[in-house]
Amino acid sequence: MNGEAVHPTSSPDLRAATGAEQCPEEARALRDAVSARLGYVPFRDDAPQHVRTVIRRDRGGLVATVDVFDAAGEQVGQREIRSRTRVALAISVAIDPELAGAGARG
């Protein structure tokens, strides 16, 4: 091994429900926020873990549901977030709980 740390990765899936369509720039901003929080780019299309984030409009604004699936496709976690600033944190924790917890900001 070359001494580089091996970080957990996840295949990303960001969706907008009807009525909460997001522009591509917002999806990129969310991916960038997760990468900045973790200190590395955690997204790989071939990663064994899959994180799906669906954003929908609610009376109080936007609501994001973050679902985590393991390599077998089984759902292993879900969280609903009503704060835009917390969506990146929730995805970060789903991908790399140890690092996200140690460096959590915001």
Side-chain angles (χ1 to χ4, degrees), residues 70-87:
D70 65 14
E74 296 293 321
Q75 186 174 5
V76 294
Q78 181 180 70
R79 174 171 265 175
E80 185 173 278
I81 301 108
R82 295 184 176 275
S83 167
R84 223 177 251 217
T85 59
R86 295 291 186 184
V87 174

Side-chain angles (χ1 to χ4, degrees), residues 5-78:
V6 177
H7 295 291
T9 59
S10 180
S11 63
D13 183 2
L14 178 61
R15 303 176 185 189
T18 303
E21 288 79 7
Q22 303 293 303
C23 64
E25 292 80 25
E26 287 192 50
R28 169 59 66 192
L30 180 58
R31 288 175 130 193
D32 290 347
V34 171
S35 297
R37 178 174 291 282
L38 292 176
Y40 67 96
V41 177
F43 302 113
R44 280 192 12 225
D45 289 336
D46 64 343
Q49 177 175 277
H50 180 77
V51 175
R52 179 181 63 210
T53 305
V54 178
I55 299 173
R56 70 182 191 285
R57 186 162 301 286
D58 193 10
R59 281 179 264 151
L62 294 178
V63 178
T65 302
V66 179
D67 295 296
V68 181
F69 300 89
D70 65 14
E74 296 293 321
Q75 186 174 5
V76 294
Q78 181 180 70

